[in-house]
Amino acid sequence: MPYRIGKYTLGFDQPPAVLSYAAVGSKKESEGPLKDAFDFIEQDSYFGEKSWERAESRIQRESVNRALEKGNFDPTDIDYIFAGDLLNQCISSVYGLRELGIPLFGLYGACSTMAESLSIASVFIDSQAAKRCAAVTSSHFCSAERQFRFPLEYAGQRTPTSQWTVTGGGAAIVGIGNKPPFVRGITTGTIEDYGIKDANNMGAAMAPAASATISRFFKDTHMNPAQFDLILTGDLGYVGSGILLELLEREGLDIHRQHNDCGLLIFDREKQPDVQAGGSGCGCSGSVLCGHILPKLQRGDLKDVLFIATGALLSTTSVQQGETIPGIAHLVYLSSQAQDEAFPTRERASQFDGRKEKR
Amino acid sequence: MPYRIGKYTLGFDQPPAVLSYAAVGSKKESEGPLKDAFDFIEQDSYFGEKSWERAESRIQRESVNRALEKGNFDPTDIDYIFAGDLLNQCISSVYGLRELGIPLFGLYGACSTMAESLSIASVFIDSQAAKRCAAVTSSHFCSAERQFRFPLEYAGQRTPTSQWTVTGGGAAIVGIGNKPPFVRGITTGTIEDYGIKDANNMGAAMAPAASATISRFFKDTHMNPAQFDLILTGDLGYVGSGILLELLEREGLDIHRQHNDCGLLIFDREKQPDVQAGGSGCGCSGSVLCGHILPKLQRGDLKDVLFIATGALLSTTSVQQGETIPGIAHLVYLSSQAQDEAFPTRERASQFDGRKEKR
């Protein structure tokens, strides 16, 4: 069963295992450093469909279907699917997952969706509410540009702080198992708002949320950054990553040795300069996690990873109305081991100074 | 801990209690049959804010704050908040809940959000992942019309099958308690698509989803409609309700004595004829549940209620691209008793013929 560690963090008595996973990408992703990480690459941005929105649905469907296949699962083996995306009313998830017949909890966490879906799925598994859950998300450069920015035909200039929405997706099947990777714990984010209003600088809008969540994880667990191989944010990009490191330093947390960012891993900013500050979109952290990180945890090449997917909570309407852009970041602690000394057990967590409970 | 009953349903060993709740409405809601059900009514559709979107954020904030106040809770007493709304990228939830500082899981379930949020919150409570969770949603006639249909200034004609988006919201605080109402179980919906393409006939688009979820609940639990005082859908309206009864009859389920619909309860279609087929929007089932149904369960005026919130999964883009409108419906079984003979216990559920499990 899940148990509380401090105010924001949950541990799992029987850490859920990631039983299977898959990542999908498109042309630009196939030209980047992670080109070999994808289970399926489609060079055509339409994915053979008649619209970019349908293409994105296809990405989500392919991600789930390939994760099912790789794990030798039927859709009927999955009790719940947790899914969301960036499109208005999450239509990629709706049309992408419609035929599966799996009970669906639709999520909206912007680019934090991969961590949000993994978080809730893990609670369902460790509480025995489900035997197996799927967590999935997607994004598409063209459907996102059309919706959030300009028609592609307009060929607008992109600012140096802007990020390139990944055309891709990731799906993970979580359940009970004795092989890594394991989900050891989660730290759930609050809405953080530092007053950023530039819709072309998402990294800056999301960095405070990542900083808050990471710092709470360390405070809750009494752990320190050196105990992790990788602290992976997604998708702060170049600008947001710099801000994150600075914000954490002010709190006395130095993560620069462990830190990397999905938006910096998926593209090569020198060879692919039009991505500007790096990758973004639900599919960025989704595909980097499911294509690049989970395999390394499975093989033991990585042992302890904090995965912190970040979301910028804006809409075109909120931007046009002059609202600020708040961010949110959800953390998932993934490990190649189901147990060790470092992460607080239920017993040890209960000895920490928790908040005072009134009833 | 949660336990599985059949393929789609969960029961709870220690049924979570709804510790507090509140409903918010506006002018049209105050002229309807449930005018006394609201904790807060604001006649001004702007709620004193400068945009309808801000007004809707205000609805969500008021709903949560009043539920907290009525239960004598601080925001720090709440471990997680589950929230969503109809606006693009769920901005009512983002701006409405920003100041609370409560860890947020953002949801998108269209008008099924009240049941979706209650469902996940209940799993978190019964699994001890949380002591208290909030579930909240909202909608606003003006922000919804602007986003999904026409500018209000256009004064478009509404078709007889159209429904009137409720300007309102509802919030419930779920936790461990020994006073009713209790959440006894949940049945989680799948995406159902009967090929409806008329964006002015949401009832027809959602009725198949409601039918599927209700029929699965009865199949999973081996119960029958006569064991319930009320089977409350939201928001099928007049047209969708008729379709639902017919679809269920074909499966041998007669619920016409127990059935009512949030969209039919909140407005008087004779005295308020411009609502056409009835109310809709996340705030319809949200405010009817939290303002009208939960108090009756608390007092014992209602004993056993199936609450099935329904969502139409469309966006303006999907409609313009000629896609069909799928629906989803999530069921929450609410009761004035924490236990009785009728609902399957963990032990009895394990004796039912479950699906064959492969591992």
Side-chain angles (χ1 to χ4, degrees):
Chain A
M1 272 173 35
Y3 57 93
R4 294 200 72 82
I5 308 171
K7 181 162 166 47
Y8 297 96
T9 303
L10 283 179
F12 300 117
D13 279 331
Q14 293 197 296
V18 183
L19 306 172
S20 182
Y21 45 79
V24 170
S26 189
K27 184 165 183 291
K28 198 168 203 83
E29 294 67 34
S30 76
E31 294 161 356
L34 302 188
K35 57 182 181 296
D36 299 325
F38 298 93
D39 295 272
F40 176 62
I41 294 259
E42 171 59 66
Q43 295 290 334
D44 168 22
S45 68
Y46 281 98
F47 279 66
E49 303 285 345
K50 67 177 189 184
S51 72
W52 290 319
E53 289 73 19
R54 283 204 170 186
E56 191 180 332
S57 291
R58 178 82 195 290
I59 289 173
Q60 205 155 130
R61 186 160 57 245
E62 287 289 344
S63 301
V64 175
N65 281 339
R66 280 162 199 265
L68 290 172
E69 272 170 43
K70 283 168 74 180
N72 198 20
F73 296 121
D74 282 332
T76 54
D77 294 322
I78 311 299
D79 294 318
Y80 299 101
I81 192 160
F82 298 91
D85 59 84
L86 289 173
L87 293 187
N88 296 344
Q89 287 73 54
C90 297
I91 53 168
S92 315
S93 306
V94 168
Y95 295 105
L97 309 175
R98 179 175 49 183
E99 274 78 32
L100 288 171
I102 302 172
L104 168 78
F105 285 117
L107 305 182
Y108 186 76
C111 305
S112 75
T113 306
M114 194 70 228
E116 184 186 3
S117 57
L118 261 183
S119 295
I120 306 182
S122 299
V123 169
F124 272 58
I125 296 299
D126 193 38
S127 68
Q128 298 180 24
K131 277 209 169 63
R132 286 174 219 98
C133 293
V136 58
T137 193
S138 64
S139 56
H140 193 301
F141 176 77
C142 303
S143 63
E145 286 295 304
R146 164 146 82 189
Q147 178 178 283
F148 286 108
R149 295 176 193 95
F150 297 106
L152 285 188
E153 295 81 352
Y154 177 72
Q157 291 282 329
R158 296 163 56 81
T159 69
T161 57
S162 71
Q163 294 172 239
W164 187 279
T165 305
V166 164
T167 301
I173 314 289
V174 187
I176 298 155
N178 50 17
K179 286 184 201 152
F182 298 101
V183 181
R184 300 285 297 278
I186 62 170
T187 303
T188 302
T190 54
I191 302 170
E192 302 294 323
D193 191 342
Y194 274 31
I196 301 286
K197 289 194 175 187
D198 179 359
N200 289 308
N201 193 354
M202 302 291 195
M206 298 187 288
S211 165
T213 300
I214 292 169
S215 128
R216 285 165 182 167
F217 172 83
F218 286 116
K219 196 175 164 198
D220 283 348
T221 59
H222 299 207
M223 293 177 79
N224 65 70
Q227 293 174 290
F228 295 89
D229 308 305
L230 177 64
I231 298 177
L232 180 68
T233 50
D235 329 298
L236 299 179
Y238 180 74
V239 178
S241 291
I243 298 172
L244 170 69
L245 295 184
E246 196 179 320
L247 287 172
L248 285 174
E249 254 174 39
R250 288 190 205 163
E251 298 196 43
L253 274 172
D254 178 1
I255 66 163
H256 83 270
R257 264 189 226 88
Q258 294 81 24
H259 178 259
N260 213 327
D261 184 80
C262 296
L264 296 174
L265 284 170
I266 197 164
F267 296 129
D268 184 328
R269 293 177 60 242
E270 292 198 2
K271 291 185 191 153
Q272 300 172 293
D274 53 353
V275 304
Q276 303 289 357
S280 69
C282 299
C284 180
S285 51
S287 65
V288 171
L289 181 81
C290 296
H292 182 57
I293 303 299
L294 293 175
K296 289 193 174 197
L297 281 158
Q298 188 172 26
R299 290 193 302 264
D301 297 343
L302 284 170
K303 296 214 181 316
D304 292 287
V305 174
L306 295 182
F307 170 65
I308 307 106
T310 55
L313 302 169
L314 80 167
S315 78
T316 51
T317 304
S318 73
V319 170
Q320 285 160 6
Q321 293 182 350
E323 305 288 356
T324 55
I325 305 173
I328 195 161
H330 299 302
L331 178 151
V332 179
Y333 169 23
L334 293 152
S335 176
S336 60
Q337 298 177 86
Q339 290 191 319
D340 60 24
E341 296 295 299
F343 189 68
T345 57
R346 175 186 289 272
E347 198 183 3
R348 199 148 61 80
S350 71
Q351 292 160 2
F352 293 165
D353 279 332
R355 63 193 158 137
K356 306 290 176 285
E357 268 297 329
K358 72 160 197 197
R359 271 327 295 267
Chain B
M1 272 173 34
Y3 57 91
R4 295 201 72 83
I5 307 171
K7 180 161 168 48
Y8 298 96
T9 302
L10 284 179
F12 300 117
D13 279 331
Q14 293 197 296
V18 184
L19 305 173
S20 183
Y21 44 79
V24 169
S26 189
K27 183 165 184 289
K28 198 167 204 84
E29 293 70 33
S30 76
E31 294 162 353
L34 302 189
K35 57 182 181 294
D36 299 324
F38 298 93
D39 294 272
F40 176 61
I41 294 260
E42 170 60 66
Q43 296 289 331
D44 168 23
S45 67
Y46 281 97
F47 280 65
E49 303 285 345
K50 69 178 188 185
S51 71
W52 290 321
E53 289 74 17
R54 283 203 169 187
E56 192 180 332
S57 291
R58 177 84 194 290
I59 290 173
Q60 205 155 128
R61 186 159 57 245
E62 287 288 344
S63 301
V64 176
N65 281 340
R66 280 161 199 267
L68 290 172
E69 273 170 42
K70 285 167 74 181
N72 198 22
F73 296 121
D74 283 333
T76 54
D77 294 323
I78 310 301
D79 295 317
Y80 299 100
I81 192 160
F82 298 90
D85 59 83
L86 289 173
L87 294 187
N88 296 344
Q89 288 73 52
C90 297
I91 52 168
S92 315
S93 306
V94 168
Y95 296 104
L97 308 175
R98 178 175 49 181
E99 273 78 32
L100 288 172
I102 303 171
L104 168 78
F105 285 117
L107 306 181
Y108 186 76
C111 304
S112 75
T113 306
M114 193 70 228
E116 184 186 3
S117 57
L118 261 183
S119 294
I120 306 182
S122 299
V123 169
F124 272 57
I125 296 297
D126 193 37
S127 67
Q128 297 180 27
K131 278 208 168 63
R132 288 174 217 97
C133 292
V136 57
T137 193
S138 65
S139 55
H140 193 302
F141 176 76
C142 303
S143 63
E145 285 296 304
R146 166 147 80 191
Q147 179 178 282
F148 287 108
R149 294 174 193 96
F150 297 107
L152 285 187
E153 296 81 352
Y154 178 74
Q157 292 281 329
R158 297 164 55 79
T159 68
T161 57
S162 71
Q163 293 173 240
W164 187 279
T165 304
V166 164
T167 301
I173 314 289
V174 187
I176 298 155
N178 51 19
K179 286 183 200 153
F182 298 101
V183 181
R184 299 287 296 279
I186 61 171
T187 303
T188 302
T190 55
I191 302 170
E192 301 294 323
D193 192 341
Y194 274 32
I196 301 287
K197 289 195 175 188
D198 178 359
N200 289 307
N201 193 354
M202 302 290 194
M206 298 187 286
S211 165
T213 300
I214 292 169
S215 122
R216 286 165 182 169
F217 172 84
F218 286 116
K219 196 175 165 200
D220 282 348
T221 60
H222 298 207
M223 293 177 78
N224 66 68
Q227 293 172 290
F228 295 88
D229 308 305
L230 178 63
I231 298 175
L232 180 67
T233 49
D235 328 296
L236 299 180
Y238 181 74
V239 178
S241 291
I243 297 171
L244 170 70
L245 296 183
E246 196 178 320
L247 286 172
L248 285 174
E249 254 173 41
R250 287 190 205 163
E251 298 196 42
L253 273 172
D254 177 1
I255 66 161
H256 84 270
R257 267 190 223 85
Q258 294 81 23
H259 179 259
N260 212 326
D261 185 80
C262 296
L264 296 174
L265 284 171
I266 196 164
F267 296 129
D268 184 327
R269 293 177 59 242
E270 293 201 359
K271 292 184 189 153
Q272 300 173 291
D274 53 354
V275 304
Q276 303 290 356
S280 70
C282 299
C284 180
S285 52
S287 65
V288 170
L289 181 79
C290 296
H292 183 58
I293 303 300
L294 292 175
K296 289 194 175 195
L297 282 157
Q298 188 172 26
R299 291 193 302 264
D301 297 345
L302 284 170
K303 296 215 183 315
D304 292 286
V305 174
L306 295 181
F307 170 64
I308 308 103
T310 55
L313 303 169
L314 80 166
S315 76
T316 50
T317 304
S318 72
V319 170
Q320 284 160 8
Q321 293 182 349
E323 305 288 356
T324 55
I325 305 174
I328 195 161
H330 299 303
L331 178 151
V332 179
Y333 168 24
L334 293 152
S335 174
S336 60
Q337 299 176 84
Q339 291 192 317
D340 60 24
E341 296 295 299
F343 189 68
T345 58
R346 176 186 289 270
E347 198 185 1
R348 199 147 61 80
S350 70
Q351 293 161 2
F352 293 165
D353 278 333
R355 61 193 160 137
K356 305 291 176 281
E357 267 297 330
K358 74 160 191 196
R359 280 314 301 267

